[in-house]
Amino acid sequence: MIGRIRGTLAAKQPPWLLVDVAGVGYEIEAPLSTIFQLGETGSEVTLLTHMVVREDAQLLYGFASEAERRLFRNLIRTTGVGPKLALTILSGMGAEAFWQAVRDDDTALLVKLPGVGRKTAERLLVEMRDRAEAEGTPVTPATVGAVGDAADPRDEARAALLSLGYKPAEAERMIGKVWEDGMGADNLLRAALRSAVR
C-alpha cells in the first residue's frame, strides 16, 4: 500500500491533485483542508495517503496531517460513510472541529454539511464517540496557505463548492454572502464553508 507521496505538485483542481514523483503522475483526491496548505503548482509537496483498492479502481487519498488521515480512516469505518462523504466532512469542518462536534453531541452542526442528513449525523455521533476518547485532543490545523490565484477567485471557490456536492444556486448564495473585493480564492472558500456550518 502507498502510505506517503513526496513529489512536485503538477496540477491542483479541488478536490483533485496531480503529484509528479520521478516522472510518474499520481492522481490524489484530497480534502480542502489539505489543499489550502499546499503551495503553488510546481512546488514540492509531501502527503500522507490512504489507498483504496476496489475491483474496478485503485484510489489514492491525500492528507496534510496525520490527524486528518486518522479521522478519514475512522469516518470510512462508520456505517453509511464512504470516502467521498468523509472528504466532504473534512473539507467542511476539519478534524479538530469534527471531534469537538462529537464531544458536544452537535447534530445540528453536522447536518449543515452537504450529504449529511440527520440519521447519518446521529450515526456518526454514536459510532465516533468512543473513538473520540482514543483520539484525545486533536492537533490544531497548520496555518492555511494560498490555494493560488485565479482570474476570478469566485470561479475557483464555486468549482470547489460544486465538487463538494453543493448545488449551483446554493454555491452562488454562499459566495455572495461572504464575498468582499480583494478576497483570494482560499479565503473566500473558507469563509463560504464557515457560513454554511454556523
Side-chain angles (χ1 to χ4, degrees):
M1 301 297 273
I2 300 172
R4 187 180 72 172
I5 290 283
R6 183 172 63 196
T8 302
L9 183 60
K12 178 169 56 173
Q13 184 165 357
W16 292 99
L17 304 171
L18 182 64
V19 179
D20 186 304
V21 181
V24 177
Y26 289 86
E27 287 187 345
I28 301 171
E29 197 168 355
L32 295 177
S33 52
T34 287
I35 292 172
F36 286 151
Q37 297 180 50
L38 302 179
E40 301 295 331
T41 301
S43 62
E44 184 171 302
V45 295
T46 300
L47 295 170
L48 299 173
T49 57
H50 178 85
M51 188 174 184
V52 174
V53 178
R54 299 193 322 219
E55 203 172 287
D56 59 343
Q58 294 184 24
L59 307 170
L60 201 56
Y61 300 93
F63 308 93
S65 69
E66 182 56 38
E68 286 187 335
R69 181 169 68 174
R70 204 162 49 238
L71 175 54
F72 176 84
R73 288 174 168 172
N74 275 313
L75 286 168
I76 61 176
R77 286 169 46 206
T78 304
T79 307
V81 178
K84 185 174 177 61
L85 183 55
L87 286 181
T88 298
I89 292 168
L90 271 167
S91 293
M93 62 193 318
E96 184 177 8
F98 177 83
W99 289 119
Q100 188 62 50
V102 170
R103 285 194 294 270
D104 294 343
D105 204 28
D106 194 346
T107 307
L109 184 62
L110 295 178
V111 297
K112 291 180 180 177
L113 297 168
V116 180
R118 180 155 296 278
K119 287 184 179 178
T120 300
E122 289 171 353
R123 189 183 311 118
L124 278 167
L125 292 177
V126 169
E127 293 192 30
M128 298 293 274
R129 201 168 287 130
D130 292 338
R131 299 176 205 168
E133 290 183 15
E135 289 298 314
T137 304
V139 177
T140 302
T143 302
V144 170
V147 167
D149 295 328
D152 186 343
R154 287 170 288 192
D155 289 339
E156 188 171 340
R158 188 180 300 109
L161 289 170
L162 293 176
S163 75
L164 287 172
Y166 288 97
K167 294 179 180 176
E170 192 175 15
E172 288 291 344
R173 180 186 58 76
M174 290 166 65
I175 290 169
K177 186 176 177 183
V178 299
W179 167 252
E180 294 176 6
D181 287 337
M183 287 182 89
D186 57 340
N187 289 330
L188 176 57
L189 190 50
R190 287 165 57 205
L193 288 168
R194 279 197 301 269
S195 75
V197 295
R198 278 178 188 158

